Amino acid sequence: MKKILLTGVVIIALAQILSAQKLYSFLDNGEPVNKYPAVTWLKESGITKFEQDKIYVIELWATWCKPCIKSMPHMSELATKFKGKITFISQGVWESDTAKVRQFITDHAAFFTNSMVAFDGGKDKADFDRNWLKPSGTIGIPRTFLIRNNKIAWITDPFVLTDEHLQMLVEGKLTAETAKAIVQKNKQ
Amino acid sequence: MMTLRHVLAGSAMLTLTVVSCTLYAQQLPFKIEGQMGKDQQGMLSIRYESMHTLVQDSVKVSNGAFQFSGQLQEPAAASLTFIPENKSVRGQFKEIFLDPATTISMKGDSNLLSTQVKGGPSQTDLDALFVQYKPLQEKGPVLEKQFKEYQEAGDEENMKRVGQELQALRVRRREIQIAFAKSHLNSFVGFSLWARQVDGFIKDPVKLEAEFNTYSPAVRNTPSGKRVAASLAIAGKLLTGIQAPDFTLNDISGKPVTLSSLKGKNVLLWFWSRNFIPFEPFSFAINKISRQCKDDNLVIVSVYCDSDQQRWLTEVEEASFQTPNIINLIHPVRLTAEADTTTVGKAYDLSMGMIPHSFLIGTDGKILVRDVNFLSEPELEIKKIINK
């Protein structure tokens, strides 16, 4: 009996610790964001929070994800075009081999010239998994998050993201609705 | 993107079964007597399900000879895997159909694939089905090999093309199965193929019940047939326009909550546990509905179906089901292959394969939507219906 009770106490304590660390319950278009989950930054710079007056694009990827790699030239082109206006973050997810990720970045340095690069450390145990991927219902990559004024402006597939979207984001005119309208227009 | 549909968390859960049927249905012995070529040595394993209990057994193959025996209440699909002692020879896989009170003979002059299977009526039906599969079986491996080659070469255009051809083969296979099921109404093999549609939440109980009734009494009276009949009967009482069955379950503070006490509000009744993956799209949808409908007359009744109360608290916390319009209740019963005998278990057919599922209930307590689609903007569908 004592043992069972103890287990219960431990689980409650664990749940409390976990809940204390939880940054976000729900991440969707229009939801507020302030802190960046704990990750390992693989280049000289990184962030711990989103600045109010800054604009961010977070791109989720993994070395095993072929569509992610396919989207990289397009994303790095956008990063170059909006250098100084938008902070690009290439956020590696769902893999635990740091050496492999570092090697990939070395081998494909051109893709990461104008972006910060982060590594989350693996599925389920990573802070980024718990505090970003799960609250945003993310189950597939690549996936891109656009952030302005501490709010998620739009969550998208990187292949439909254009410089028109980013220009509107810079001008503060981008919402999920206006963004989807551009995608629709480009389809025709 | 991954395909979304509930997947049992582990095959070990399949071994959890309900004894009620095993007590009443008669168990009859079956036997497999096999002889491959005399040069065949190794290990042969068998897998089959007997009333939702996964049975696994393995025997040593000496000089090609092997034998299995077991007990069955009804016919069962079985798969055999032969792992030769000589590691340079590839393993082989064969599907057969077992009948109770039957001896199955498997004879061949080389490996497992060379054996001719002679068994009961179900094996005869399976042979007839395999004849129809034959053109697909020849095409399938060729396409798979091509796909792998294109994948290695990074040739996406051809990968897409071959992928579509493979998909067409799968569709064709299912068409063959459906046609076979419709034309073999006294066959357990035919019935098993048809019954895949009732393995999980039953979308269209009226249509499926009519189809079920075309099967012979012998098939319908097998334990599986009776179970399908019971599920269809429950689903028939959960149609749109019908009053949602009432129940009382405890909330997180231990206070009993009765469904009918929520009359006057629209209710999204959601039954879940953590026996399926991926869970996140569902928890995300619940959070989205909760936020987008916070000013609508809607309450989300989230019913966790598992006996582990501590885990429930952790899961609720992790999934952030803590907004004011979510009521967290627990149905403290570990789900099995068959619905439990509690009021809510019987009324909503709460069994392992049925989770997760949901009902949108109107202010008058009547069902508005069966099985809300959580994966395609459910908040918009719900808003549209309740604000009509």
Side-chain angles (χ1 to χ4, degrees):
Chain A
M1 188 63 205
K2 240 180 190 172
K3 198 177 171 186
I4 293 166
L5 191 65
L6 188 70
T7 314
V9 171
V10 169
I11 290 169
I12 292 168
L14 186 71
Q16 279 167 351
I17 294 165
L18 289 173
S19 74
Q21 291 171 340
K22 203 163 175 182
L23 293 180
Y24 304 110
S25 307
F26 180 67
L27 292 173
D28 195 12
N29 298 328
E31 290 292 319
V33 286
N34 38 64
K35 288 187 179 158
Y36 200 84
V39 294
T40 307
W41 295 96
L42 298 182
K43 282 167 67 180
E44 60 282 0
S45 57
I47 60 166
T48 54
K49 62 177 180 128
F50 299 104
E51 304 284 347
Q52 227 253 276
D53 54 352
K54 283 195 175 166
I55 302 171
Y56 302 86
V57 170
I58 304 169
E59 166 72 347
L60 308 182
W61 68 281
T63 60
W64 49 261
C65 167
K66 287 194 174 162
C68 300
I69 296 165
K70 203 179 163 193
S71 77
M72 283 177 180
H74 170 58
M75 291 306 286
S76 71
E77 199 184 304
L78 291 174
T80 308
K81 215 175 248 180
F82 288 88
K83 194 180 170 185
K85 290 182 186 162
I86 299 176
T87 305
F88 276 74
I89 300 171
S90 291
Q91 175 64 58
V93 296
W94 293 332
E95 60 189 322
S96 48
D97 188 346
T98 329
K100 198 173 173 190
V101 176
R102 283 184 193 276
Q103 189 59 50
F104 185 91
I105 295 163
T106 309
D107 294 346
H108 301 83
F111 291 159
F112 304 100
T113 315
N114 293 307
S115 63
M116 296 177 179
V117 186
F119 171 68
D120 83 335
K123 196 164 164 55
D124 292 328
K125 12 180 224 298
D127 191 52
F128 193 83
D129 190 68
R130 185 162 178 267
N131 280 312
W132 197 275
L133 301 178
K134 286 197 166 85
S136 62
T138 300
I139 54 151
I141 52 171
R143 208 172 188 217
T144 309
F145 295 75
L146 274 50
I147 291 155
R148 187 181 197 274
N149 290 125
N150 287 112
K151 262 191 184 165
I152 297 179
W154 189 38
I155 305 174
T156 180
D157 159 1
F159 294 103
V160 297
L161 183 68
T162 60
D163 32 7
E164 191 181 353
H165 288 113
L166 295 185
Q167 188 54 41
M168 281 179 74
L169 182 68
V170 169
E171 291 167 10
K173 291 178 191 162
L174 193 83
T175 62
E177 287 69 35
T178 55
K180 281 179 203 163
I182 297 172
V183 175
Q184 212 52 43
K185 183 188 78 187
N186 290 344
K187 259 188 196 168
Q188 287 158 5
Chain B
M1 295 289 280
M2 297 180 232
T3 332
L4 302 172
R5 197 51 203 162
H6 59 265
V7 175
L8 295 180
S11 63
M13 293 186 79
L14 278 170
T15 57
L16 292 164
T17 188
V18 170
V19 282
S20 59
C21 281
T22 44
L23 289 177
Y24 301 118
Q26 200 189 353
Q27 294 255 20
L28 292 168
F30 75 89
K31 210 191 262 182
I32 301 174
E33 284 175 348
Q35 180 65 59
M36 296 188 260
K38 298 258 187 219
D39 57 336
Q40 301 291 317
Q41 320 288 343
M43 188 68 88
L44 186 66
S45 66
I46 188 168
R47 274 169 76 102
Y48 58 94
E49 236 180 82
S50 174
M51 273 316 284
H52 296 277
T53 305
L54 182 67
V55 182
Q56 296 191 77
D57 193 6
S58 49
V59 291
K60 198 169 162 33
V61 176
S62 299
N63 304 324
F66 62 90
Q67 205 174 64
F68 282 110
S69 59
Q71 301 271 328
L72 288 172
Q73 299 151 38
E74 61 180 17
S79 59
L80 293 162
T81 310
F82 178 51
I83 309 290
E85 214 168 68
N86 180 352
K87 298 289 172 229
S88 62
V89 180
R90 282 178 72 168
Q92 301 122 43
F93 176 81
K94 197 171 177 96
E95 288 174 279
I96 61 171
F97 226 102
L98 310 170
D99 280 295
T102 302
T103 296
I104 290 161
S105 119
M106 297 180 72
K107 287 203 166 69
D109 51 13
S110 67
N111 65 16
L112 181 68
L113 300 178
S114 77
T115 55
Q116 293 290 317
V117 187
K118 283 193 182 127
S122 300
Q123 180 60 41
T124 309
D125 290 340
L126 187 72
D127 289 338
L129 177 67
F130 279 179
V131 168
Q132 297 186 36
Y133 279 167
K134 213 159 184 205
L136 310 187
Q137 279 169 334
E138 281 159 9
K139 222 173 155 188
V142 177
L143 288 173
E144 274 164 21
K145 190 168 167 255
Q146 278 179 1
F147 188 83
K148 218 175 158 188
E149 283 166 6
Y150 289 133
Q151 198 174 24
E152 277 162 17
D155 184 347
E156 286 186 22
E157 205 169 297
N158 275 316
M159 258 169 79
K160 200 174 160 191
R161 179 181 58 77
V162 177
Q164 280 166 348
E165 283 182 52
L166 276 165
Q167 179 57 21
L169 273 194
R170 281 189 281 271
V171 171
R172 182 71 199 113
R173 189 180 157 97
R174 188 60 195 148
E175 282 169 359
I176 290 171
Q177 289 175 350
I178 290 167
F180 190 92
K182 275 189 184 163
S183 59
H184 289 73
L185 299 172
N186 190 31
S187 155
F188 193 84
V189 177
F191 172 71
S192 309
L193 293 169
W194 173 84
R196 288 180 189 178
Q197 298 167 87
V198 287
D199 192 15
F201 187 81
I202 298 172
K203 298 256 186 222
D204 191 348
V206 177
K207 174 179 158 263
L208 291 171
E209 183 150 29
E211 288 180 13
F212 175 71
N213 286 330
T214 61
Y215 283 92
S216 70
V219 170
R220 281 185 281 140
N221 284 325
T222 57
S224 286
K226 285 179 182 168
R227 187 173 170 272
V228 168
S231 279
L232 284 168
I234 296 174
K237 289 181 190 157
L238 294 167
L239 301 177
T240 53
I242 290 179
Q243 197 76 24
D246 205 10
F247 59 81
T248 302
L249 293 170
N250 286 354
D251 70 6
I252 283 196
S253 66
K255 196 181 90 201
V257 174
T258 301
L259 181 68
S260 57
S261 72
L262 300 168
K263 263 191 190 162
K265 285 179 182 295
N266 295 288
V267 173
L268 175 64
L269 174 61
W270 186 49
F271 295 101
W272 64 288
S273 77
R274 285 303 303 267
N275 73 343
F276 65 93
I277 51 165
F279 176 70
E280 285 72 25
F282 290 87
S283 61
F284 180 79
I286 287 287
N287 274 294
K288 190 158 186 167
I289 295 163
S290 162
R291 282 158 175 85
Q292 302 260 326
C293 301
K294 70 176 177 0
D295 299 323
D296 296 300
N297 186 25
L298 177 82
V299 58
I300 298 167
V301 175
S302 145
V303 181
Y304 182 75
C305 305
D306 203 336
S307 54
D308 189 338
Q309 302 235 0
Q310 290 303 338
R311 187 166 174 207
W312 173 44
L313 298 179
T314 311
E315 298 293 0
V316 164
E317 176 101 35
E318 276 296 285
S320 305
F321 292 163
Q322 289 155 320
T323 34
N325 58 0
I326 300 180
I327 300 175
N328 286 291
L329 303 179
I330 187 163
H331 170 54
V333 175
R334 183 164 278 266
L335 296 181
T336 63
E338 293 189 44
D340 58 74
T341 54
T342 62
T343 310
V344 61
K346 273 195 293 191
Y348 289 91
D349 202 11
L350 298 180
S351 57
M352 221 154 46
M354 290 285 183
I355 297 291
H357 72 261
S358 64
F359 296 92
L360 182 64
I361 300 164
T363 51
D364 56 359
K366 288 180 181 166
I367 295 170
L368 292 171
V369 181
R370 293 164 48 76
D371 200 24
V372 176
N373 182 0
F374 276 21
L375 306 176
S376 171
E377 303 190 315
E379 71 285 357
L380 299 182
E381 188 195 355
I382 291 170
K383 265 180 174 291
K384 206 167 97 187
I385 291 166
I386 65 176
N387 294 324
K388 228 181 222 171

